[in-house]
Amino acid sequence: MDVPAGKKPIRVKQTLCKHVRKALLSLGGEAHRSMVIEHVARNLGHDVRQIPEELQLQVIVSFEQTWRDERKRAAYGFHLPFGEGSHRWGVLSDPMVAA
């Protein structure tokens, strides 16, 4: 994947999931997915006024695929506080969960 100078590459979905987890924890454990996307984009060196659509989709897909996989969901602590279909994402801050 070609990455413009000054941008950090997204290596694998697992790395992106770690960014999502870190963003959610720094946002108090839950937030609207748009806030999480902005936080991840900023941490990866993007201008949050022009977040690439591809990155937005990768963040959403990473969260949703992890949330739907019981084992991965337990590892990352992802949950949907308002149930399926909600755009509010959450993370459990349990220290036993992978950071």
Side-chain angles (χ1 to χ4, degrees), residues 3-50:
V3 179
K7 303 283 190 261
K8 296 178 184 174
I10 298 169
R11 296 177 192 229
V12 294
K13 281 190 257 180
Q14 185 177 24
T15 299
L16 194 53
C17 287
K18 288 179 182 180
H19 282 289
V20 170
R21 177 173 167 71
K22 183 177 176 181
L24 281 164
L25 288 170
S26 71
L27 293 166
E30 66 179 59
H32 190 278
R33 74 180 188 186
S34 62
M35 290 180 67
V36 176
I37 292 168
E38 284 182 18
H39 200 280
V40 169
R42 184 178 300 111
N43 286 341
L44 292 174
H46 292 276
D47 179 348
V48 296
R49 295 169 295 178
Q50 297 177 323

Side-chain angles (χ1 to χ4, degrees), residues 10 12-20 54-69 72-73 76 78 89:
I10 298 169
V12 294
K13 281 190 257 180
Q14 185 177 24
T15 299
L16 194 53
C17 287
K18 288 179 182 180
H19 282 289
V20 170
E54 180 181 347
L55 176 59
Q56 293 179 49
L57 291 173
Q58 288 176 332
V59 171
I60 292 168
V61 167
S62 292
F63 181 90
E64 289 182 354
Q65 286 182 349
T66 301
W67 178 78
R68 292 182 190 286
D69 181 303
K72 289 180 183 177
R73 182 173 60 236
Y76 287 95
F78 291 169
W89 293 351

